[in-house]
């Protein structure tokens, strides 16, 4: 089977992300693979280990933004592709979905496209459903487990995580999935994997090579703001015993009408 796994580069979650002059900035912090996408890569690798086949890591981003696909290669993906084009500057979520869907079609013969549940910078969580709509394939979001997969009959049964519990869904393939943490902890790249990834030449596809016109953004972010600052005071409660401290705490909570 062939699985395309979509990975995005985001500022390191340890970076201090802030807003300057209406723009998001994160200093010198490196761009890394979106943490949710490591789960997507893990899921794709597990499925191909069980059922055979290849994992192709796909990303859309700046020309030098190969860290995410290289991380996927180091984890064990067989191939990596970056879509990059100056015409994609300022692209919105709908446009990103058109580009990724066209790239999936150019890769060809995919049985599944797997996404992380959301990006940690823009956080829309829209990409899997939008790509599924463009491809005309089933959209299976927030998948926590795959209970059955029959590549020859092109059928799968998955469990979705919902607020109410687990939902079991049967679907035909090819399908587009987004993956939650429950699928299993992502593996660390092996030493051999890191060497392979560092030497790999990642093909860079332009929009013209995808056979589409550069999508026009219909949504723009004219300004981004820091959240309003909150006044917070901290008080450490001391006392002669845990009971005394708890009593003082309870009195203060009641006085503040928290309870
Ligand atoms: C500084 C900045 C400025 C922006 N300006 C605008 C703007 O003006 N207008 C606007 O509409 N949007 C803007 N965006 C949002 C940007 O276009 C989104 O990153 C993009 O639309 C994808 O949405 P998302 O990140 O919320 O993805 P989600 O839907 O949250 O991501 C889900 C999954 O989709 C996959 N995925 C997402 N993006 C990619 C990608 N590029 N390549 C491969 N896989 C991917 C990953 O598997 C990810 O886990 C801006 C973002 C930033 C950081």
């Amino acid at each position: 089977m062939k699985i395309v796994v979509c990975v995005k580069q985001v500022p390191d979650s340890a970076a201090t992300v802030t807003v300057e002059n209406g723009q998001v900035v994160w200093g010198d912090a490196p761009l890394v693979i979106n943490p949710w996408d490591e789960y997507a890569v893990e899921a794709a690798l597990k499925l191909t280990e069980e059922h055979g086949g290849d994992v192709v890591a796909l990303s859309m981003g700046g020309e030098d933004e190969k860290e995410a696909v290289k991380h996927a290669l180091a984890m064990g993906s067989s191939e990596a592709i970056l879509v990059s084009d100056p015409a994609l500057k300022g692209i919105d979520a709908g446009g990103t979905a058109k580009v990724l869907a066209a790239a999936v079609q150019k890769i060809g013969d995919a049985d599944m496209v797997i996404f992380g549940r959301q990006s940690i910078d823009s956080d829309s969580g829209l990409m899997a459903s939008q790509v599924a709509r463009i491809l005309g394939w089933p959209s299976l979001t927030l998948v926590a487990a795959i209970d059955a997969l029959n590549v020859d009959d092109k059928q799968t049964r998955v469990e979705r995580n919902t607020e109410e519990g687990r939902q079991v869904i049967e679907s035909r393939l090819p399908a587009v999935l987004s993956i939650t943490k429950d699928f299993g902890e992502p593996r660390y790249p092996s030493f051999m994997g890191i060497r392979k990834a560092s030497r790999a030449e990642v093909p860079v596809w332009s929009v013209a090579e995808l056979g589409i016109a550069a999508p026009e953004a219909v949504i723009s972010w004219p300004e981004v703001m820091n959240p309003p600052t909150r006044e917070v005071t901290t008080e450490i409660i001391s006392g002669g015993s845990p009971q005394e401290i708890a009593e003082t705490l309870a009195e203060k909570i009641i006085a503040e009408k928290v309870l």
Side-chain angles (χ1 to χ4, degrees):
M1 71 183 307
K2 191 191 275 186
I3 300 180
V4 177
V5 60
C6 291
V7 293
K8 180 183 181 183
Q9 285 200 178
V10 294
D12 192 336
S13 55
T16 307
V17 177
T18 183
V19 174
E20 279 175 21
N21 304 322
Q23 297 296 315
V24 184
V25 290
W26 51 86
D28 296 333
L31 289 169
V32 297
I33 185 170
N34 176 39
W36 293 111
D37 300 351
E38 291 182 73
Y39 291 90
V41 177
E42 179 62 34
L45 292 173
K46 271 200 189 121
L47 288 169
T48 51
E49 280 159 7
E50 212 174 304
H51 299 273
D54 293 319
V55 175
V56 183
L58 169 66
S59 189
M60 188 203 81
E63 203 181 345
D64 299 328
E65 295 181 10
K66 294 180 182 157
E67 181 53 37
V69 282
K70 288 221 167 190
H71 189 95
L73 275 179
M75 285 176 74
S77 302
S78 356
E79 257 185 86
I81 294 160
L82 176 70
V83 179
S84 188
D85 196 310
L88 297 175
K89 197 169 183 314
I91 193 165
D92 61 8
T96 305
K98 284 182 192 150
V99 170
L100 293 177
V104 168
Q105 274 165 331
K106 183 171 161 72
I107 291 166
D109 298 327
D111 298 287
M112 275 186 188
V113 184
I114 301 188
F115 289 79
R117 62 171 295 163
Q118 69 200 76
S119 66
I120 64 160
D121 55 358
S122 311
D123 271 326
S124 69
L126 288 170
M127 211 45 60
S129 303
Q130 291 199 338
V131 169
R133 179 180 56 81
I134 295 165
L135 292 171
W137 295 357
S139 164
L140 310 172
T141 53
L142 305 178
V143 171
I146 297 191
D147 295 341
L149 176 62
N150 190 324
V151 184
D152 295 329
D153 289 348
K154 301 219 167 285
Q155 285 291 327
T156 188
R157 188 169 65 243
V158 306
E159 290 180 32
R160 291 188 65 235
N161 248 349
T162 68
E163 281 188 15
E164 294 77 26
R166 290 276 174 107
Q167 197 179 59
V168 176
I169 308 238
E170 284 183 337
S171 165
R172 66 171 166 76
L173 298 175
V176 178
L177 285 72
S178 74
I179 294 289
T180 68
K181 263 182 163 178
D182 309 68
F183 221 97
E185 280 300 307
R187 67 196 65 186
Y188 287 109
S190 65
F191 179 66
M192 291 302 287
I194 293 169
R195 280 187 58 172
K196 179 185 129 193
S198 68
R199 290 179 184 161
E201 284 292 323
V202 176
V204 180
W205 291 350
S206 65
V207 178
E209 283 172 276
L210 298 180
I212 57 168
E216 299 244 337
V218 290
I219 296 175
S220 65
W221 294 12
E223 193 183 357
V224 183
M225 286 163 281
N226 284 312
T229 48
R230 285 192 301 160
E231 289 295 320
V232 178
T233 51
T234 309
E235 184 185 346
I236 308 283
I237 299 169
S238 51
S241 67
Q243 189 179 351
E244 191 187 325
I245 295 170
E247 278 170 10
T248 313
L249 176 62
E251 280 165 18
K252 283 181 183 286
I253 288 173
I254 291 165
E256 290 289 334
K257 299 194 173 21
V258 178
L259 288 179

